[in-house]
Amino acid sequence: MTGQAGARFGPIALAPGVAPRHVATKLAASFITIGALSGMAILQSYILSEHLHVPRAIQGRVSGDLAFWTEVVGLALFLPFGMLADRIGRRPVFVFGMLCLAAGWALYPFATSLDQLLAFRLVYAVGAAATAGMLATLVNDYPLDRSRGKLIGFTAVMNTLGTMFVAGAIGRLPAWLSQHGYSGVDSGTLMYLVVAGLCLAMAIIAARGLMAGRPPGAGQRPDASELAATAARALRNPRIALAYAGAFIARSDVVIKGMFLGLWAVHAGRDSGIGAGRAMAAFATMVLIMYFVSLISAPLFGWFIDRVNRVTAMIVALAIASAGYLGMRWLSSPIDMQMTPLLILLTLGTGFVVKASMALIGQEAPPRERATVISGSSICGAAGILLFTAIGGRLFDAWGPWAPFVIAGGYQALLLLVAIAVRLRAPGPH
């Protein structure tokens, strides 16, 4: 099947010029890239504990600070990458980002100090800024609007599978390698090098498999000066403003869940008398359970997005997310199987807000400047991560591991009220 108007990828109607192979490559890119992005937060606690022997009392602060500087890089680069993608196309920006991710993962386990770890994390951060923005743009470029929610749902399935693979398979490597005579440091190094190799392979595949050039319907190439004011101008649209506010918490949701739950699991394992490797293995089992439910729900919520007003979808997502995050106040341990229902609710809320926000901004952003508008969403997400991880890391150490989640839940509850007001006053198209 060619990329002519009317081409389909299963139930998804594609935009003119988009071929099924482009969508297949994009889905593979989601699997590897989101696995690498979420995996850095999930697996980092192993490096802090086993490689650098960072004291437990400050691991929350160190983790929060590393995430903070990652997002500072994102704040500086999201808009330039978005503008560049609107001028030269998505593919070269994404391939460059994957190469940076590969370099960051390869360097990370060789850090001998926290300063070196931060330097290597900044290399990774450049790749994260490029790839995250392009994935969010591509999922809105490739389908027709009536199928946008479906492709977002299928993409979410691949995102979940990628995270499950890193947490459930890659995250178990240290425990398996230690049983075969490898030291803790060697096990961690091999774990990170495997992910680096996957990122490099994905860069090669994307260089041939993603659609070349600018997206269908983009028209004449926009000037850089015109694009520079696009994100700010887009805020005049209340639905884009709502999507930006949703992005402020949506991306930080994923980082908070990955970073602080992984760290919480290591601490809970030590409290139970087991080491970091066994705690990560137990946490990997819990992640698989959580994300199996997310895997089933993602296409269903994507179908729901295409059937209702997109602001209504945002309201439903925020209601579930606020309940899930506020419920973390009653979580005793992320490796306690009795806590599974709370963690499932947390996972569903995280995924739903990401999907609803992405569909809403994709509906409202014009193709000609879509990457730049979405970069504004990414900037909001980076700002949210800066706030919630910097403050959350310190409250994790001072108040308890539940603190970052409750802060995020409180914001979601307030945004839920805003979303209801937008639905009543400026609902947009059905």
Side-chain angles (χ1 to χ4, degrees), residues 411-423:
Y411 174 86
Q412 289 162 330
L414 292 175
L415 187 57
L416 173 61
L417 300 178
V418 175
I420 293 172
V422 172
R423 180 66 177 87

Side-chain angles (χ1 to χ4, degrees), residues 28-380:
S30 295
F31 178 88
I32 298 298
T33 307
I34 299 303
L37 296 181
S38 61
M40 181 60 77
I42 294 171
L43 304 180
Q44 179 176 266
S45 57
Y46 188 93
I47 298 293
L48 297 180
S49 298
E50 297 296 318
H51 286 228
L52 298 178
H53 306 290
V54 175
R56 173 177 172 175
I58 64 170
Q59 284 189 11
R61 177 177 61 81
V62 170
S63 297
D65 287 346
L66 288 169
F68 177 90
W69 288 109
T70 299
E71 298 310 317
V72 168
V73 172
L75 283 171
L77 294 181
F78 278 131
L79 185 58
F81 279 144
M83 293 170 60
L84 187 63
D86 278 333
R87 288 181 58 80
I88 68 172
R90 295 25 169 158
R91 186 168 71 180
V93 178
F94 179 80
V95 171
F96 170 76
M98 289 306 301
L99 293 175
C100 291
L101 283 186
W105 274 88
L107 291 169
Y108 216 64
F110 295 102
T112 57
S113 67
L114 289 178
D115 287 340
Q116 280 191 2
L117 195 70
L118 175 59
F120 298 156
R121 181 64 176 256
L122 296 181
V123 175
Y124 156 91
V126 174
T131 55
M134 292 309 98
L135 287 179
T137 303
L138 289 171
V139 78
N140 284 298
D141 281 345
Y142 285 178
L144 294 177
D145 188 64
R146 68 175 185 269
S147 291
R148 193 180 308 279
K150 296 184 188 69
L151 183 55
I152 289 173
F154 279 113
T155 297
V157 169
M158 299 307 294
N159 295 348
T160 301
L161 288 174
T163 303
M164 290 173 65
F165 174 71
V166 170
I170 304 298
R172 291 178 181 271
L173 279 178
W176 183 83
L177 290 169
S178 65
Q179 294 174 358
H180 290 77
Y182 288 84
S183 69
V185 172
D186 288 342
S187 298
T189 300
L190 288 172
M191 175 174 65
Y192 271 71
L193 290 179
V194 167
V195 180
L198 292 172
C199 291
L200 179 60
M202 190 65 243
I204 296 171
I205 294 170
R208 295 186 61 86
L210 293 179
M211 185 175 67
R214 299 170 62 240
Q220 186 178 2
R221 177 180 296 179
D223 294 331
S225 58
E226 177 186 353
L227 290 172
T230 293
R233 187 171 60 249
L235 285 171
R236 299 172 187 171
N237 181 327
R239 293 175 297 282
I240 290 182
L242 175 62
Y244 278 9
F248 183 80
I249 189 62
R251 285 188 64 239
S252 53
D253 269 355
V254 177
V255 174
I256 289 169
K257 182 161 60 68
M259 179 173 66
F260 290 123
L261 275 183
L263 191 58
W264 194 348
V266 172
H267 290 186
R270 286 180 175 172
D271 292 340
S272 302
I274 63 177
R278 289 181 59 193
M280 288 299 295
F283 181 56
T285 300
M286 182 65 77
V287 168
L288 289 176
I289 295 172
M290 293 160 58
Y291 285 3
F292 177 75
V293 176
S294 179
L295 194 67
I296 296 172
S297 66
L300 296 177
F301 193 70
W303 173 87
F304 175 75
I305 288 173
D306 284 339
R307 294 297 186 277
V308 301
N309 181 283
R310 299 267 161 83
V311 181
T312 300
M314 178 70 82
I315 291 171
V316 172
L318 287 169
I320 297 172
S322 58
Y325 271 79
L326 292 173
M328 288 298 97
R329 182 62 181 87
W330 292 276
L331 185 78
S332 60
S333 165
I335 58 176
D336 182 355
M337 295 300 292
Q338 295 182 352
M339 298 289 103
T340 302
L342 279 177
L343 292 170
I344 288 174
L345 183 62
L346 176 75
T347 303
L348 291 175
T350 301
F352 288 176
V353 172
V354 171
K355 297 176 191 64
S357 177
M358 189 178 301
L360 182 58
I361 199 167
Q363 169 187 282
E364 299 295 327
R368 185 167 182 264
E369 52 192 26
R370 179 175 287 147
T372 305
V373 173
I374 290 177
S375 73
S377 172
S378 299
I379 289 171
C380 291

Side-chain angles (χ1 to χ4, degrees), residues 374-398:
I374 290 177
S375 73
S377 172
S378 299
I379 289 171
C380 291
I385 291 174
L386 288 178
L387 176 65
F388 289 113
T389 55
I391 296 177
R394 285 159 175 77
L395 295 183
F396 182 101
D397 295 331

